[in-house]
């Protein structure tokens, strides 16, 4: 491919992730306002739990969406899967922005909100993994790690965009206006990104399945490659917990635990998300030079031993120390997230690559990642210990560490992707 074609492939692969994580970021950042609009509880903690509960419910749809979009990608090509997923994210994002609250619709308001989040969960289940497969499959020789990291950086760009958007509105609007209607504007603006993504992907280069099949992709995956799927899930747990504790839940935590104003908490997060983009891309580049496993093992070890000190550092009213603590999480999560995509794609059989990666990744993110903000909120409330979320990161690091040891190094392996070679990658 020419350099112009590669740039087009990168843009098409990243734009859906930008929209996906933009939406989930602004939902997480405005969870308190959404809770008060749609869940009429007098207790602020109960409202936050309800809002994050809907957040988690959307994520529980990810395995279903992964199977659906993965089927499209393995059966009809990557372009169809990517076009479907970006459309299924853009429309519900816009509709959340115009959905009346409980005071207008009563119980119908939270019911419709839940339905829209479930549709978005379907989209999320296939978007990231399909774009990951698409970019790694189109990677120049010796650059699969870097191209996979670009898929992950699309998530960072979207999260950064959502964080910056939230910070901008929080700084420019009164608290009452932001509470009543200001939080809706970022959801409405997400439609523009979705339209751009749809038209960009309609004309993108496609990769079709390399072999005809007699079984549908999900059946073949679960019958022949279920061990690889479980390995992918174990590999994804640290990324899931680390990201959602460190960059979604932490925005609310800084406000409730440290008393940092919402606008300042969003600014801290926005700066950290800017830095994590560089860390993710650097991790992908380094994994092409030194291997995937060193770039995975180092951050899980750092996460296990560093989570408590970092939360202790952040658990005070100093905004500077809060920023330094979150930058520590940036290094840990960024290194891991940048190296992981290439490992997943390289380890999956070609004929069911979209499905296998989507199932393994989304089983973990759907069940564990989506419920992490809810679990962290409950854990702090239950124990009274503000640094309790650090223990979630430590537990995830332990699981990921032993899973990584079972994977074999793939950065110099031929990218054939047939059944036998994929089976040898995870022992």
């Amino acid at each position: 491919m020419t350099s112009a074609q590669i740039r087009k492939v990168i843009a098409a692969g990243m734009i859906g992730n930008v929209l996906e994580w933009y939406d989930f970021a602004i939902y997480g950042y405005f969870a308190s306002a959404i809770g008060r609009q749609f869940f009429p509880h007098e207790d602020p903690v109960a409202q936050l739990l309800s809002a994050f509960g809907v957040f988690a419910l959307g994520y529980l749809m990810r395995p279903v969406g992964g199977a659906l979009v993965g089927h499209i990608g393995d059966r009809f090509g990557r372009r169809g899967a990517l076009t479907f997923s970006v459309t299924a994210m853009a429309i519900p994002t816009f509709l959340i922005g115009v959905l009346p609250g409980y005071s207008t619709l009563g119980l119908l308001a939270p019911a419709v909100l839940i339905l829209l989040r479930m549709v978005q969960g379907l989209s999320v289940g296939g978007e990231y993994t399909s774009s990951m497969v698409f970019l790694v499959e189109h990677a120049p020789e010796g650059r699969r790690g870097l191209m996979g990291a670009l898929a992950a950086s699309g998530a960072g760009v979207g999260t950064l965009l959502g964080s910056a958007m939230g910070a901008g509105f929080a700084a420019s609007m009164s608290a009452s206006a932001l509470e009543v209607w200001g939080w809706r504007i970022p959801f409405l603006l997400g439609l523009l990104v979705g339209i751009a993504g749809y038209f960009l992907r309609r004309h993108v280069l496609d990769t079709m399945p390399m072999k005809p099949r007699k079984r549908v992709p999900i059946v073949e995956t679960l019958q022949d490659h279920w061990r690889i799927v479980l390995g992918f899930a174990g590999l994804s747990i640290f990324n899931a917990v680390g990201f959602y504790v460190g960059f979604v839940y932490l925005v609310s935590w800084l406000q409730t635990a440290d008393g940092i104003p919402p606008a300042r908490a969003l600014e801290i997060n926005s700066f950290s998300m800017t830095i994590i983009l560089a860390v993710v891309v650097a991790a992908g580049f380094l994994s092409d030079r030194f291997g995937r496993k060193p770039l995975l093992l180092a951050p899980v070890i750092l996460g296990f031993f560093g989570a408590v000190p970092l939360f202790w550092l952040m658990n005070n009213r100093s905004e500077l120390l809060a920023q330094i603590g979150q930058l520590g999480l940036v290094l840990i999560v960024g290194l891991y997230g940048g190296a992981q995509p290439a490992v997943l794609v390289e380890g999956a059989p070609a004929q069911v690559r979209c499905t296998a990666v989507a199932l393994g990744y989304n089983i973990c993110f759907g069940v564990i990642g989506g419920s992490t903000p809810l679990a962290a909120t409950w854990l702090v409330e239950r124990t009274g210990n503000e640094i309790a979320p650090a223990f979630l990161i430590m537990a995830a690091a332990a699981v990921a560490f032993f899973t990584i040891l079972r994977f074999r190094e793939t950065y110099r392996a031929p990218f054939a992707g047939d059944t036998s070679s994929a089976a040898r990658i995870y022992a």
Side-chain angles (χ1 to χ4, degrees):
M1 289 191 296
T2 66
S3 58
Q5 289 174 321
I6 293 176
R7 287 194 296 269
K8 186 176 181 179
V9 164
I10 292 173
M14 290 179 63
I15 194 167
N17 287 325
V18 172
L19 174 63
E20 168 191 320
W21 294 97
Y22 167 85
D23 171 83
F24 274 76
I26 58 176
Y27 188 94
Y29 302 148
F30 292 116
S32 297
I34 292 172
R36 287 186 287 271
Q37 288 282 327
F38 291 92
F39 303 99
H41 301 294
E42 295 182 1
D43 184 359
V45 174
Q47 292 173 342
L48 189 61
L49 285 170
S50 298
F52 277 138
V54 177
F55 184 93
L57 184 61
Y59 262 69
L60 292 176
M61 296 298 294
R62 288 186 65 150
V64 179
L68 174 62
V69 180
H71 172 84
I72 296 172
D74 286 328
R75 191 72 179 266
F76 303 106
R78 314 315 190 209
R79 180 173 57 194
L82 293 173
T83 302
F84 171 83
S85 62
V86 76
T87 304
M89 175 59 72
I91 294 175
T93 299
F94 174 80
L95 292 178
I96 288 175
V98 299
L99 179 65
Y102 182 87
S103 61
T104 302
L105 295 181
L107 291 176
L108 185 61
V112 175
L113 177 65
I114 291 171
L115 177 62
L116 293 174
R117 297 302 292 179
M118 291 174 68
V119 174
Q120 287 179 321
L122 288 174
S123 169
V124 173
E127 169 59 45
Y128 179 53
T129 52
S130 294
S131 64
M132 183 194 308
V133 170
F134 176 78
L135 286 172
V136 174
E137 285 180 341
H138 283 85
E141 186 64 29
R143 291 290 183 266
R144 296 196 300 266
L146 179 59
M147 290 290 273
L150 290 176
S153 68
V157 170
T159 306
L160 173 61
L161 183 61
S163 177
M165 188 74 70
F169 279 99
S172 61
M173 300 178 64
S174 66
S176 59
L178 190 69
E179 171 80 18
V180 175
W181 57 269
W183 66 269
R184 296 179 178 273
I185 299 177
F187 286 93
L188 301 178
L189 294 177
L191 184 64
L192 300 178
V193 181
I195 293 173
Y198 175 81
F199 284 104
L200 182 61
R201 287 179 168 182
R202 282 186 62 187
H203 305 289
V204 78
L205 296 172
D206 204 354
T207 52
M208 294 296 292
M210 291 183 285
K211 297 179 181 179
R213 58 172 47 84
K214 297 180 181 179
R215 290 174 292 173
V216 296
I218 188 171
V219 173
E220 182 176 351
T221 300
L222 294 178
Q223 287 183 345
D224 299 344
H225 310 294
W226 60 270
R227 289 183 179 86
I228 295 175
V229 171
L230 291 180
F232 288 169
L235 199 67
S236 301
I237 189 170
F238 183 71
N239 197 8
V241 174
F243 184 87
Y244 284 102
V245 168
F247 303 103
V248 177
Y249 169 76
L250 195 66
V251 176
S252 298
W253 184 86
L254 290 174
Q255 299 171 48
T256 57
D258 295 346
I260 294 177
R264 183 60 184 138
L266 288 168
E267 290 171 2
I268 291 172
N269 201 71
S270 296
F271 179 76
S272 295
M273 292 309 304
T274 302
I275 302 302
I276 201 174
L277 293 177
V279 176
V280 165
V281 175
F285 174 80
L286 292 173
S287 75
D288 286 326
R289 295 284 301 276
F290 304 107
R292 316 295 187 217
K293 293 184 71 171
L295 270 297
L296 295 175
L297 287 171
V300 299
I301 294 172
L302 288 173
F304 185 83
F305 292 104
V308 170
L310 288 174
F311 266 82
W312 176 84
L313 184 67
M314 291 185 289
N315 190 26
N316 59 75
R317 295 185 178 274
S318 169
E319 296 177 3
L320 176 61
L321 292 180
Q323 183 72 82
I324 294 173
Q326 194 180 40
L327 288 176
L329 294 176
V330 162
L331 178 64
I332 292 169
V333 177
L335 285 175
Y336 194 89
Q340 184 190 14
V343 176
L344 298 179
V345 179
E346 290 168 344
Q351 68 272 20
V352 291
R353 185 170 287 144
C354 283
T355 303
V357 173
L359 285 178
Y361 187 85
N362 288 305
I363 285 172
C364 179
F365 267 75
V367 176
I368 298 176
S371 60
T372 293
L374 179 65
T377 303
W378 178 86
L379 196 60
V380 170
E381 177 69 15
R382 180 77 174 181
T383 64
N385 184 357
E386 298 288 358
I387 67 171
F391 300 117
L392 297 177
I393 296 178
M394 293 177 65
V399 173
F401 178 82
F402 290 106
T403 304
I404 294 166
L405 294 181
R406 295 180 62 87
F407 275 83
R408 298 193 173 119
E409 187 58 74
T410 59
Y411 81 114
R412 290 182 177 174
F415 190 46
D418 58 35
T419 300
S420 58
S421 65
R424 291 194 297 271
I425 287 172
Y426 181 68

